[in-house]
Amino acid sequence: MASELIFRGQNESHQAADSYSPKPPKPWLLTLRPIRYILREQRLLCVLAGIAIATVIFALLPSGGHRHTEPISFDSSSSAFTHPMRHKYYEPAMVSGRSTGGKIPLGLKRKGLRIVVTGGAGFVGSHLVDRLISRGDSVIVVDNFFTGRKENVMHHFKNPRFEMIRHDVVEPLLLEVDQIYHLACPASPVHYKHNPVKTIKTNVVGTLNMLGLAKRVGARFLLTSTSEVYGDPLQHPQVETYWGNVNPIGVRSCYDEGKRTAETLAMDYHRGAGVEVRTRSLLSHFYILLLFSLCLQKITNKKN
Ligand SMILES: O=C(O)[C@H]1O[C@H](OP(=O)(O)OP(=O)(O)OC[C@H]2O[C@@H](n3ccc(=O)[nH]c3=O)[C@H](O)[C@@H]2O)[C@H](O)[C@@H](O)[C@@H]1O
C-alpha cells in the first residue's frame, strides 16, 4: 500500500515536470528568423543575390589591369608629340617613393609588339631591327632595296618573328601593326640627288601612306628626320624650337624640304587624326657619336 502511494506520488510529480511551458523568445532571435528561413529554404535566391552584389562591386571598383604599362617605346623626350586624347596614362603605383609603373613583374614575359620598319635593310634601319628583335618584338621590314641590302638583316631570316617585304612605300600598304618606324628614304647626297623627284615623292607620298596606315590601325608612328631640315642654319647649335633656314629651290631641297614636309604631315596627322607620333633627328644622336668615336680612334692611333 505504502509502495503504491509512493508510486502515485512519483507519477504526479513526473506529470508536473513534463508539462511544456515555452520560454518567451528572445527579441533578436525573432528578427533573425526570416533571414534564417531564407538561408535555409531559398539557397538559389541567395546565390543569385551574391552574384549580383559581386558584379556591382567589380563594376564600380577601378581595375588595376588598366594601368598603362609602356614597354620600351619611342623616346618620348623633346621632339615627341602625343595627342592628349590618345595619351591617357594612369599614374603608376608608387612603392616607397619609387615608381613601379611600366615595369613588368619578375617571371612575367613582356608581350612582344608587331612593328614595321620601313628602310629596315639600310644602315640605321638594320641596327634598329636587331634591337627590336632582341627585345622580343616581331618585325616586318619594308624596303625597296634602293640602297639597303638583304645581307644587313639576313641573320634574322630563320627567326619566326622576322619578315621582309620588298615594297616601295610610295605605294600604299596594309599591315596589322602596333608601331611604325618610318626610315625609308635615300639618305646620302649622292643618292637623294640621283632622282630628286623620287626622293621628294618618297618623303611626301611614302610618309603619307605610312601615316595613313598608322591612323587606320591605331599604331604609333616614328619618323626619322634629319638635321638637314635646318638647311643652312643661322643659329648654332640648333635647338628643337629653331625653324631653320632652308633654300626651297636648291638641289638639296628634295631631301631637306621632303623631310620638312614629312614632319609637317606627321604633326597634321597627330593634331587632326590623333595619331601618336614621334620625330627624331638622327644626326644629333648617332652621327655625332660616330664622329666622336672616329676622332677618338684617330687620336689613339696617332699615340700608338
Ligand atoms: O641620316 C639620316 O638622316 C637618315 O638615316 C637613315 O638612313 P641610313 O640608314 O643612313 O641610309 P641607308 O642605309 O641608305 O638606308 C635607307 C633605307 O631606305 C630604303 N629606301 C630608300 C628609298 C626608298 O624609296 N625606299 C626605301 O625603302 C633603302 O633601300 C635603305 O634600306 C634613315 O633611314 C633616313 O630616313 C634618314 O634620313
Side-chain angles (χ1 to χ4, degrees):
M1 185 70 190
S3 65
E4 250 183 35
L5 275 174
I6 289 164
F7 176 70
R8 262 189 227 130
Q10 269 184 346
N11 221 3
E12 277 168 18
S13 69
H14 251 282
Q15 274 175 2
D18 282 351
S19 66
Y20 175 69
S21 59
K23 282 183 191 171
K26 290 177 181 161
W28 58 271
L29 261 179
L30 278 177
T31 56
L32 279 180
R33 193 171 289 167
I35 297 169
R36 283 170 65 197
Y37 166 76
I38 291 171
L39 284 175
R40 209 181 315 127
E41 305 295 332
Q42 303 291 335
R43 280 191 195 142
L44 182 66
L45 197 76
C46 290
V47 170
L48 289 176
I51 291 171
I53 292 166
T55 311
V56 170
I57 290 171
F58 278 112
L60 293 180
L61 277 180
S63 159
H66 284 294
R67 193 185 318 138
H68 188 103
T69 53
E70 265 209 325
I72 313 167
S73 54
F74 308 140
D75 190 355
S76 55
S77 59
S78 55
S79 63
F81 311 114
T82 46
H83 195 276
M85 296 305 288
R86 292 175 52 83
H87 199 102
K88 269 192 190 166
Y89 287 105
Y90 288 84
E91 281 301 313
M94 299 291 282
V95 177
S96 60
R98 275 186 306 118
S99 163
T100 59
K103 293 257 172 74
I104 293 155
L106 271 179
L108 278 186
K109 268 185 104 180
R110 173 185 161 272
K111 197 173 167 280
L113 298 171
R114 295 160 305 167
I115 299 176
V116 65
V117 181
T118 72
F123 175 65
V124 176
S126 58
H127 283 91
L128 173 65
V129 170
D130 291 348
R131 173 83 178 96
L132 296 174
I133 291 279
S134 73
R135 76 175 190 185
D137 295 326
S138 299
V139 177
I140 305 171
V141 165
V142 173
D143 205 301
N144 70 353
F145 301 109
F146 177 59
T147 50
R149 294 184 316 138
K150 267 188 200 162
E151 290 74 39
N152 289 343
V153 283
M154 234 166 71
H155 50 288
H156 296 302
F157 279 5
K158 283 188 182 158
N159 192 328
R161 286 188 284 108
F162 178 82
E163 280 174 76
M164 189 151 174
I165 305 172
R166 180 190 284 269
H167 179 85
D168 195 329
V169 287
V170 164
E171 302 300 328
L173 178 71
L174 187 57
L175 294 165
E176 275 295 326
V177 285
D178 303 306
Q179 295 186 346
I180 298 168
Y181 289 76
H182 182 45
L183 281 76
C185 178
S188 76
V190 179
H191 293 124
Y192 65 66
K193 283 181 195 166
H194 170 70
N195 186 346
V197 174
K198 177 70 174 73
T199 299
I200 199 150
K201 212 170 160 188
T202 303
N203 273 317
V204 179
V205 182
T207 306
L208 259 177
N209 283 336
M210 298 321 290
L211 279 165
L213 176 66
K215 181 186 163 190
R216 220 169 301 137
V217 299
R220 191 188 281 183
F221 182 88
L222 173 93
L223 170 74
T224 53
S225 191
T226 168
S227 60
E228 296 288 312
V229 295
Y230 299 121
D232 291 320
L234 305 172
Q235 182 180 308
H236 295 279
Q238 295 88 46
V239 288
E240 299 271 353
T241 45
Y242 180 55
W243 292 345
N245 177 41
V246 182
N247 174 0
I249 53 170
V251 287
R252 269 171 36 191
S253 52
C254 59
Y255 184 66
D256 302 4
E257 292 288 22
K259 286 281 185 187
R260 283 172 76 88
T261 312
E263 284 199 27
T264 306
L265 287 169
M267 276 309 291
D268 286 341
Y269 266 77
H270 161 63
R271 281 187 294 250
V275 175
E276 200 178 329
V277 301
R278 307 276 192 271
T279 64
R280 267 275 161 254
S281 172
L282 296 184
L283 181 83
S284 48
H285 296 90
F286 176 74
Y287 291 103
I288 285 177
L289 271 178
L290 191 71
L291 277 175
F292 181 71
S293 72
L294 283 174
C295 291
L296 208 70
Q297 220 175 346
K298 275 220 156 157
I299 293 165
T300 46
N301 281 352
K302 264 186 189 170
K303 276 185 182 168
N304 291 336

